[in-house]
Amino acid sequence: MRVTLLGTGDTTGTPTVGCDCDTCTAARDRGVERTRFSVHVENERVDESLLIDFSPDFRYQFLRDDVSLPDAAVITHVHFDHLDGLGNVFRVLDSLEVYAADETDPQTGKSVAETVDDDYHYLDPLTVVPTTPLEPVSVCGLEVTLVPVDHPPLVCYGLRVEDPVTGAALSITGDTSYDIPEASREVLADPDLLLADGIVPADLCEYHPIGGRHEDDAGVPRTFGTKHMTREGALAMAEVLNADRTRLVHLAHYYPADEAFAEPLAVDGEEYVL
Ligand SMILES: [Zn+2]
Ligand SMILES: [Zn+2]
Ligand SMILES: [Zn+2]
């Protein structure tokens, strides 16, 4: 499978609109960017593509990276930066299956699948497929398994995408704290490529109103606030999951400029063949 990182930024992206911080300036100078989150997975065996999350930057990303339009999609959760590009399919795609979790979110009273169905009821090409977490489904010739992660107050899911023919595996943590349930870690384990949420370096937790959580033995927070892993948390999770290769994603412009483009922090347009 061919994996293209269409969007590697957090909800404001880098550069952020109206921002002239050192990191946004450095991104402009280098000609790199981190648009809102989305990952394109092409199964070359069957010539079909799966899109993970619908970034508000969908149109720009597909023009920029010249990838094939999706045959199916997964929505991990209902935050703006992962869902609100879905309206772009209007007059672009004739049909699209959208896989989303079927568990009711106590916060909204609806599952992710139901929210997608309700919010985009007017989009005729869509067929929402309610999907049970931890049970693999076959999509685009690939085996896709949603796994519950921890992104309060909403339900949110990571996923594993595995090619049943070659055994190649991509794991994505989704937006999550370090507190990924054990059953989910088991599904995400041993990937060829891990994309892990590492929104900021751990030392920025001092600027979060509630600080950091899930400290390691040295007292370094692996979670920023409640919703996302720190860089250190994401790297620790990569160790736990025994990933062959790791790229950090969902990155904020709050990374200091001299750390923001260091390995293994991803930028848009990276491509991996697994
Ligand atoms: Zn900035
Ligand atoms: Zn989110
Ligand atoms: Zn997000």
Side-chain angles (χ1 to χ4, degrees), residues 117-170:
D117 220 6
D118 288 353
D119 287 3
Y120 292 92
H121 59 88
Y122 56 87
L123 270 187
D124 291 337
L126 293 193
T127 304
V128 177
V129 184
T131 304
T132 303
L134 302 171
E135 293 182 10
V137 289
S138 180
V139 189
C140 299
L142 301 167
E143 199 171 84
V144 175
T145 310
L146 293 175
V147 299
V149 292
D150 180 54
H151 191 52
L154 295 174
V155 295
C156 182
Y157 302 84
L159 63 155
R160 180 185 185 89
V161 181
E162 184 165 331
D163 186 327
V165 175
T166 67
L170 164 70

Side-chain angles (χ1 to χ4, degrees), residues 1-266:
M1 68 178 102
R2 181 180 298 269
V3 180
T4 306
L5 311 190
L6 296 178
T8 57
D10 70 340
T11 194
T12 69
T14 302
T16 287
V17 173
C19 186
D20 61 357
C21 78
D22 290 348
T23 300
C24 288
T25 302
R28 291 186 189 98
D29 290 347
R30 288 164 175 254
V32 297
E33 61 185 342
R34 294 180 172 133
T35 60
R36 275 69 66 85
F37 187 80
S38 188
V39 177
H40 184 274
V41 181
E42 182 182 356
N43 182 352
E44 292 153 307
R45 285 189 297 103
V46 298
D47 196 26
E48 289 187 351
S49 295
L50 172 67
L51 189 67
I52 317 298
D53 282 337
F54 262 85
S55 170
D57 298 306
F58 173 96
R59 175 178 178 274
Y60 171 71
Q61 291 169 343
F62 274 75
L63 291 172
R64 182 195 63 197
D65 290 340
D66 195 25
V67 287
S68 55
L69 284 166
D71 298 280
V74 171
I75 299 291
T76 60
H77 67 302
V78 299
H79 273 153
F80 160 78
D81 49 327
H82 301 259
L83 171 61
D84 283 17
L86 193 51
N88 283 286
V89 308
F90 184 61
R91 287 201 219 129
V92 170
L93 295 177
D94 294 331
S95 67
L96 182 75
E97 286 192 332
V98 177
Y99 292 77
D102 64 359
E103 300 173 319
T104 301
D105 186 340
Q107 187 69 21
T108 63
K110 296 190 279 192
S111 66
V112 175
E114 287 168 325
T115 297
V116 174
D117 220 6
D118 288 353
D119 287 3
Y120 292 92
H121 59 88
Y122 56 87
L123 270 187
D124 291 337
L126 293 193
T127 304
V128 177
V129 184
T131 304
T132 303
L134 302 171
E135 293 182 10
V137 289
S138 180
V139 189
C140 299
L142 301 167
E143 199 171 84
V144 175
T145 310
L146 293 175
V147 299
V149 292
D150 180 54
H151 191 52
L154 295 174
V155 295
C156 182
Y157 302 84
L159 63 155
R160 180 185 185 89
V161 181
E162 184 165 331
D163 186 327
V165 175
T166 67
L170 164 70
S171 286
I172 301 176
T173 65
D175 285 16
T176 185
S177 81
Y178 188 73
D179 192 21
I180 299 177
E182 184 55 39
S184 298
R185 294 183 184 204
E186 285 173 16
V187 173
L188 296 174
D190 304 316
D192 297 290
L193 175 64
L194 172 70
L195 304 178
D197 171 7
I199 194 164
V200 293
D203 54 14
L204 292 191
C205 289
E206 66 175 289
Y207 299 108
H208 194 289
I210 63 163
R213 300 170 66 192
H214 305 127
E215 287 82 1
D216 65 15
D217 292 342
V220 177
R222 289 176 289 198
T223 294
F224 178 67
T226 59
K227 290 182 168 65
H228 298 277
M229 288 188 282
T230 59
R231 171 184 58 197
E232 288 77 357
L235 294 173
M237 184 58 66
E239 289 280 315
V240 168
L241 297 179
N242 191 35
D244 268 4
R245 189 169 202 177
T246 301
R247 303 303 287 166
L248 303 195
V249 295
H250 210 280
L251 306 172
H253 67 134
Y254 301 122
Y255 270 93
D258 62 345
E259 299 174 37
F261 306 102
E263 293 297 310
L265 277 61

